[in-house]
Amino acid sequence: MHSLSRVLSVVGLVALAGGPLSMAPAAAAPVQVAQAAPAQAATDASSLGGVATDAAGTPLAGVVITLRGATTQTTTTDAQGVYRFPTVAPGIYSISARKTGYQSATETDVAVVSGQPVTYGVRLEQVTLTSIREIGRTSTSYRRSTFNASPASVAVVSQQAFVDQGQAQVQRVLDQTPGIVIDHPGTNANNAAPGAITFPSIRGGLGFETASLIDGHPLAIGNFGDYVTTFLNSYVLGGVELIKGPGAAAPEINYAIGGTVNFRTLDPAAKPSGSIVLGMDSFGGQFSNFLLTGSTRNGRLGYVFDYAVNGSPGPLHDADNLTTLGSGTLVRCTPTAFAAGTCKTTIGTTTGAVSNAATNGFQNNPNYGTSSLFACCLRINQNFNGKTELLKLRYNLSPATTVTASYLGSQTWTDQNGNHVYQYAPSFVPGSSAYAGNLTPGQQVMTAQSVFYPDTEWEINNEPIFQAEIRSSIGKDTVLLRGYGASINRLQYNTLTSPTDPYFTTLTLNGTTQTCPATYSYSVALATCTASGKPSVAPTVTAYNNTPVPVTINGGYFRQAEEDKIRGFTGEFDHFINNGKGDVISLALDQTYSSTAAYDYVGSPNVQSVPAGSRQRFQTLLLRGIFNPTPKLNVTLSNYFDQYFQRYSDNGGTTFKEATTNRYDGRLGLAYRVSRDFSLRGSMGSAIAPPYLNLLDRVTTSPVLGTGGTFATNTIASGTLVPETSFGFDIGADARLPGDGQTTVAFDAYRTTLQNQFLSSQYANGNATVCPTGYRLTGTGATPCVPSSGTGPSVAAVTVPLYSTQVQNLGHSRYEGLELAIRRSPAVGFGYSLQGALVRAFPYDINPCFYSTTVKNGVLDCTARTNNLAIIDGVNFLNSGTSGSPGTFNAVSNHAIPYSQGYAEASYNWANGARLSFGEQYYGPNNSMNVPAFVSSNANLRLPIGNRNTLLSINADNLFNVYGNAYISAFQGVSVPLANGKLGLTNANVLTPRVFRFSLTRNFR
């Protein structure tokens, strides 16, 4: 799809075929419910009436109901919310409902038949800043089927969808919704672990190109620019709103390149109710939820109290793993001997990569290397324990004024080793005939990688979020004021308390190693044992035949801290034009202040990836008009005037720089209601993604020798980064199929063009003179490198090729695709869902010289393709692949964008509350797990016990155990084509081993 004409042709063909397809339910508020009353004796006229309520079901007085058709009539609901037109001539009518402070509702093509009274219930939702579905939008619901009649491509995932599949986390259910996938950053996030990092990606947009909100306000994401959904608990959510493309007209649209996802927390119910959920999973985990919600009898105070717990050891629980040991590890060294300085031996180099990239066409190293020694055992866990609290109070000061305040808290503890563990199999090369253990020379031994001693490496994540909103109606107008504050406090650490702390343990060793006498250290550069003031001696070979040995590991201390904070306010004034059409003009101001600090505690001074004092201020002034020129046509015009202030440091916090950017973004949305059962929509507009602080705070570092000692790497400060900007459009439609009115279909086609995409570019940057491994540069003369341990002679530096990494702006990228679905969701009976998307997200118009920094005869040689090799014109964004060799390739992102996704589900609902469903999720080619396209299945059963208030649920995830390993597999992912004609190896991530969840729910009403 490379032209607008092709998109319009597809839309026209689908419309002619009977209406487009979508990912319904996608109901944009407000919602109106209609049902036919029993037929009575025919007369020349009939009556029409019903009850108007708010979203919680509370009757609304003073709602103006207008009936247009053969005649025009207007009435107002009484104190019980009841309205009635006693005499209505037969014909086709439209009904509109409006009340200041509430979203207007319109239903078209209401048929009134002679002598048959019609009952029409009307539901209006309050105007609120917690929803991104804007005021003035219309939609309808007939029985249970939902229907989107707004100008935006909207999907709403209800809380019930998570409950039906027994999912406390949001990843699996959101993956089933066309247009959004939950990505895994590279292959360092083991998807089998419940604590692994995940973040949303809309329509191929990267993590920082997707606006993530909670209750309509932005979150603290200054460090990495994306919102981690790992720690969200679905039990506290009332639903998830997803607006894709440029259709959103919320008070601010920062980072909304692909779209906006809004996680809405539970709202108070009209009547007191509650529930208790107790559950367990087949890994041995436990989860629970305790909910109390309702309103006081006079309706003044509404409340929600919810406490949710999600705990699981994951598929890896005290799993013993073989590992390799690095140089400098002390063997036969007890704490007493270490304190006395009499440890006798040290382990030398035990591993080495063997590259055959020059002969097999691979860019990166496809070999697992060798090892002369293996250690058992590093115990790995994937423990996850999350606790979430929601407290929300809503107080009606008067019929015109409401105050809402909420606290959402999340505290999670998880095991980091299990979150990023992967495996590969180096060959066992003992190097001495003295070895007589049970490992066979030449045998490939499966070892755990990206894991560290001690085996207790934890992550603590704490996210408190506060929000307060006041809504007041003044005549025909509404005023909204909101303040919010949020933070992310994240600490990763192990049990060691200082960089100088050793770690003492006992490991069973197999193989041989080079050992040195007491007080000597092994010099990799000299291949000998050295000590200060003593002559060098040759190492000896020591064999370990499945031998338990006291081991001391130095340099194991690990501690990283991150703190993101955000606070802000939003003020909005909505002027409802008194023309009976629900037209609204809005003026809003949104301002956020955020600060970020991130540290690696490695001694003094600490390494600051984002130094304290880094901060941002985003200010947005919105002028928006929502108009309904006719009952069938809805027009939205949004104008955003933005200012961005950023304070950052490119030298680790010694000094700071400041930058201010001004920007205008406009958006236009149109919806045409052809009939009650068919609606067309279109939207277009621009968006912006300012650079987040982790990009701006990059510093230029000294080159260090890379793995294998054949190259060096460093990072270079980002310099002047400009924001990403985009312009896109969306064309779509929704339809309700004839018959029982239970089936809805929809379709969307979209394209977004992106300028100045952020790229962490890796490129050849000449040569660098660096110290060998185990040495640091402090001396002078011909041997400036001294041992890092402080003992032994100095050695000469080495000169190797240098590969530098720098964040830059890439030229152009494009996002385009098709989304369609069909859904039938009856309250009782057979239902189904068929939905999917074709996705394109790729760079284009790449200059051939983009791949080269090689200079020949003073001129850039653009034929030498050595840089950014996984960025290919017209190819969906690829994963950056494996690391550890100088030929590794670089991509736009650390996760791949799939070409397609889909979900199919069949279900049956019984009148007593029982439910049975079976679903299959399709993960298309180029998925972020780097495995071939596959299908994963889920099965779900809910049974009432005694009555509908007690329910037993049994849920199965990944029923047939597809890609059900608990480990990432190194080099086993799909090989990807690179710009230089070679192939790039990737690691293969996993889904999760098959897991069953069992829960018992008790509802109280």
Side-chain angles (χ1 to χ4, degrees):
M1 188 195 320
H2 294 287
S3 69
L4 176 61
S5 60
R6 291 188 179 182
V7 174
L8 294 174
S9 298
V10 172
V11 175
L13 288 173
V14 174
L16 289 174
L21 307 173
S22 125
M23 75 297 291
V31 173
Q32 206 171 11
V33 180
Q35 56 186 4
Q40 296 182 359
T43 64
D44 290 340
S46 189
S47 64
L48 188 150
V51 178
T53 66
D54 62 15
T58 304
L60 289 177
V63 177
V64 178
I65 309 293
T66 302
L67 184 69
R68 290 185 177 88
T71 61
T72 298
Q73 302 181 56
T74 299
T75 188
T76 303
T77 59
D78 61 18
Q80 286 73 45
V82 175
Y83 76 94
R84 185 169 183 266
F85 297 103
T87 304
V88 180
I92 303 297
Y93 290 83
S94 68
I95 300 176
S96 63
R98 69 182 190 279
K99 178 180 172 65
T100 301
Y102 290 80
Q103 300 184 14
S104 302
T106 300
E107 173 64 284
T108 63
D109 297 333
V110 177
V112 177
V113 180
S114 176
Q116 296 185 9
V118 177
T119 300
Y120 233 81
V122 175
R123 189 179 77 183
L124 300 180
E125 294 201 20
Q126 288 185 346
V127 174
T128 176
L129 294 168
T130 64
S131 174
I132 60 173
R133 294 176 289 168
E134 296 77 31
I135 58 175
R137 298 300 171 89
T138 60
S139 67
T140 59
S141 177
Y142 178 74
R143 301 178 189 172
R144 279 177 58 91
S145 83
T146 54
F147 182 86
N148 175 29
S150 78
S153 177
V154 182
V156 177
V157 181
S158 67
Q159 188 204 45
Q160 191 61 43
F162 298 100
V163 172
D164 288 343
Q165 296 186 36
Q167 296 286 357
Q169 293 180 299
V170 302
Q171 174 185 342
R172 296 288 188 269
V173 175
L174 291 186
D175 275 349
Q176 297 163 10
T177 306
I180 184 171
V181 295
I182 298 298
D183 278 315
H184 322 95
T187 48
N188 286 327
N190 185 340
N191 196 39
I197 295 300
T198 60
F199 49 80
S201 171
I202 297 178
R203 289 183 168 176
L206 308 181
F208 55 85
E209 296 166 358
T210 296
S212 297
L213 313 175
I214 285 184
D215 283 334
H217 66 76
L219 297 159
I221 57 172
N223 193 22
F224 294 107
D226 51 46
Y227 179 67
V228 175
T229 56
T230 305
F231 311 109
L232 271 178
N233 193 303
S234 67
Y235 279 104
V236 301
L237 299 178
V240 181
E241 298 175 340
L242 176 65
I243 296 187
K244 296 169 285 185
E252 59 96 3
I253 54 171
N254 299 317
Y255 299 105
I257 302 295
T260 303
V261 57
N262 182 35
F263 300 96
R264 291 194 69 183
T265 56
L266 292 166
D267 282 321
K271 298 180 180 180
S273 62
S275 66
I276 297 176
V277 179
L278 301 174
M280 61 181 295
D281 66 37
S282 54
F283 295 143
Q286 297 180 353
F287 58 93
S288 58
N289 188 69
F290 303 88
L291 169 67
L292 177 64
T293 182
S295 299
T296 56
R297 288 188 177 182
N298 60 7
R300 276 293 187 87
L301 178 65
Y303 53 86
V304 177
F305 304 98
D306 195 274
Y307 178 67
V309 177
N310 183 24
S312 179
L316 288 180
H317 182 54
D318 288 338
D320 289 334
N321 287 262
L322 291 174
T323 62
T324 56
L325 297 176
S327 61
T329 303
L330 305 177
V331 297
R332 302 193 182 281
C333 185
T334 63
T336 301
F338 180 84
T342 58
C343 292
K344 294 183 178 181
T345 59
T346 65
I347 294 178
T349 302
T350 61
T351 60
V354 179
S355 175
N356 56 359
T359 59
N360 61 13
F362 286 101
Q363 176 68 22
N364 52 339
N365 182 10
N367 194 284
Y368 296 103
T370 63
S371 180
S372 63
L373 185 75
F374 294 100
C376 182
C377 295
L378 178 66
R379 185 157 292 176
I380 297 177
N381 289 281
Q382 293 176 327
N383 294 317
F384 179 90
N385 192 343
K387 300 176 181 179
T388 304
E389 310 87 28
L390 173 64
L391 168 61
K392 182 178 288 188
L393 298 175
R394 177 170 294 157
Y395 189 75
N396 296 314
L397 296 172
S398 70
T401 304
T402 301
V403 177
T404 302
S406 66
Y407 161 74
L408 176 64
S410 171
Q411 309 86 39
T412 305
W413 170 87
T414 183
D415 195 299
Q416 274 294 85
N417 267 344
N419 289 344
H420 48 59
V421 62
Y422 67 91
Q423 287 187 331
Y424 69 47
S427 298
F428 179 49
V429 182
S432 171
S433 59
Y435 175 73
N438 55 5
L439 294 181
T440 304
Q443 172 186 352
Q444 283 194 304
V445 179
M446 192 65 69
T447 59
Q449 301 294 321
S450 190
V451 290
F452 309 96
Y453 293 96
D455 54 11
T456 49
E457 183 180 321
W458 298 310
E459 176 178 5
I460 295 177
N461 190 85
N462 181 29
E463 294 187 36
I465 300 174
F466 299 88
Q467 178 178 253
E469 177 184 283
I470 182 169
R471 176 189 62 86
S472 185
S473 300
I474 304 173
K476 296 180 293 184
D477 304 324
T478 298
V479 175
L480 297 164
L481 296 173
R482 173 182 61 187
Y484 53 88
S487 65
I488 297 176
N489 303 282
R490 194 169 291 154
L491 176 65
Q492 300 178 23
Y493 68 103
N494 60 23
T495 53
L496 302 179
T497 59
S498 166
T500 61
D501 280 358
Y503 173 61
F504 302 101
T505 188
T506 297
L507 299 174
T508 299
L509 305 183
N510 271 279
T512 62
T513 186
Q514 298 162 315
T515 58
C516 297
T519 72
Y520 278 75
S521 298
Y522 182 77
S523 169
V524 176
L526 300 176
T528 188
C529 300
T530 63
S532 180
K534 298 180 180 180
S536 300
V537 298
T540 60
V541 175
T542 305
Y544 300 94
N545 301 311
N546 209 40
T547 309
V549 177
V551 172
T552 301
I553 298 174
N554 287 309
Y557 173 80
F558 173 75
R559 186 168 295 250
Q560 289 183 340
E562 171 190 345
E563 185 176 56
D564 281 323
K565 294 181 178 179
I566 190 171
R567 58 185 173 86
F569 69 87
T570 306
E572 181 172 313
F573 176 77
D574 301 320
H575 177 62
F576 291 78
I577 300 173
N578 188 22
N579 58 6
K581 299 178 181 179
D583 296 351
V584 185
I585 295 177
S586 301
L587 181 66
L589 175 65
D590 185 273
Q591 188 155 293
T592 63
Y593 304 84
S594 61
S595 61
T596 298
Y599 297 88
D600 288 338
Y601 293 94
V602 292
S604 182
N606 296 316
V607 176
Q608 305 177 66
S609 56
V610 179
S614 301
R615 63 178 184 265
Q616 297 172 309
R617 183 185 71 242
F618 292 174
Q619 179 176 287
T620 301
L621 179 65
L622 167 66
L623 177 61
R624 179 184 61 209
I626 300 176
F627 308 102
N628 298 277
T630 73
K632 294 179 179 288
L633 179 63
N634 177 273
V635 179
T636 301
L637 179 60
S638 303
N639 301 272
Y640 295 88
F641 303 90
D642 300 312
Q643 184 179 84
Y644 305 97
F645 168 81
Q646 296 173 308
R647 184 176 189 265
Y648 62 96
S649 174
D650 58 5
N651 55 19
T654 302
T655 61
F656 284 85
K657 297 180 178 180
E658 296 181 352
T660 300
T661 302
N662 294 290
R663 166 81 176 179
Y664 167 77
D665 287 290
R667 293 189 165 191
L668 173 66
L670 301 171
Y672 186 74
R673 191 68 175 273
V674 179
S675 68
R676 185 183 66 175
D677 296 327
F678 184 56
S679 180
L680 294 169
R681 63 172 170 271
S683 59
M684 64 177 64
S686 58
I688 183 173
Y692 49 93
L693 287 173
N694 192 276
L695 298 182
L696 297 173
D697 282 306
R698 302 290 173 93
V699 302
T700 299
T701 62
S702 299
V704 295
L705 199 64
T707 303
T710 60
F711 67 101
T713 62
N714 78 327
T715 61
I716 297 178
S718 301
T720 302
L721 279 180
V722 299
E724 292 187 356
T725 59
S726 69
F727 183 85
F729 66 85
D730 179 281
I731 300 173
D734 272 63
R736 184 185 292 114
L737 297 184
D740 60 2
Q742 300 283 352
T743 303
T744 55
V745 294
F747 170 86
D748 278 282
Y750 66 90
R751 171 182 284 184
T752 297
T753 300
L754 183 69
Q755 306 278 351
N756 304 316
Q757 187 166 50
F758 304 137
L759 166 67
S760 183
S761 175
Q762 183 188 60
Y763 54 91
N765 193 19
N767 296 322
T769 300
V770 296
C771 289
T773 301
Y775 290 81
R776 54 192 173 91
L777 184 66
T778 58
T780 59
T783 56
C785 300
V786 299
S788 300
S789 62
T791 61
S794 300
V795 299
V798 296
T799 300
V800 293
L802 174 65
Y803 290 84
S804 297
T805 299
Q806 183 181 29
V807 178
Q808 302 171 341
N809 288 111
L810 181 64
H812 305 87
S813 293
R814 181 167 291 157
Y815 304 87
E816 59 187 20
L818 303 172
E819 299 166 355
L820 57 133
I822 179 170
R823 179 186 291 264
R824 185 178 191 274
S825 304
V828 176
F830 175 71
Y832 61 87
S833 175
L834 296 170
Q835 50 196 30
L838 301 176
V839 182
R840 298 282 280 117
F842 57 91
Y844 70 97
D845 286 347
I846 296 178
N847 189 315
C849 296
F850 169 77
Y851 299 105
S852 178
T853 53
T854 302
V855 177
K856 286 185 178 181
N857 301 321
V859 179
L860 183 64
D861 179 13
C862 297
T863 64
R865 297 196 166 195
T866 58
N867 313 314
N868 307 314
L869 297 176
I871 303 172
I872 305 176
D873 200 314
V875 174
N876 268 22
F877 297 143
L878 301 171
N879 186 281
S880 293
T882 58
S883 59
S885 62
T888 53
F889 53 89
N890 194 61
V892 168
S893 176
N894 58 4
H895 61 100
I897 300 298
Y899 283 91
S900 54
Q901 64 175 130
Y903 184 69
E905 181 182 280
S907 62
Y908 195 91
N909 295 311
W910 282 268
N912 64 354
R915 187 177 192 272
L916 176 65
S917 70
F918 176 81
E920 291 199 326
Q921 172 70 40
Y922 172 69
Y923 294 85
N926 203 53
N927 55 71
S928 64
M929 285 173 275
N930 299 324
V931 297
F934 69 98
V935 173
S936 172
S937 303
N938 67 78
N940 309 280
L941 174 65
R942 182 173 66 231
L943 295 172
I945 299 176
N947 55 50
R948 298 189 61 170
N949 291 327
T950 304
L951 302 169
L952 171 67
S953 297
I954 303 173
N955 307 100
D957 193 12
N958 196 12
L959 183 62
F960 302 112
N961 211 35
V962 180
Y963 293 109
N965 193 3
Y967 297 88
I968 298 170
S969 298
F971 307 111
Q972 295 301 301
V974 174
S975 299
V976 297
L978 303 179
N980 61 356
K982 294 183 179 181
L983 292 175
L985 290 175
T986 64
N987 293 340
N989 212 321
V990 294
L991 191 62
T992 183
R994 176 175 46 239
V995 58
F996 292 93
R997 297 184 182 87
F998 309 88
S999 63
L1000 192 65
T1001 301
R1002 175 65 178 177
N1003 295 312
F1004 303 93
R1005 296 181 176 86

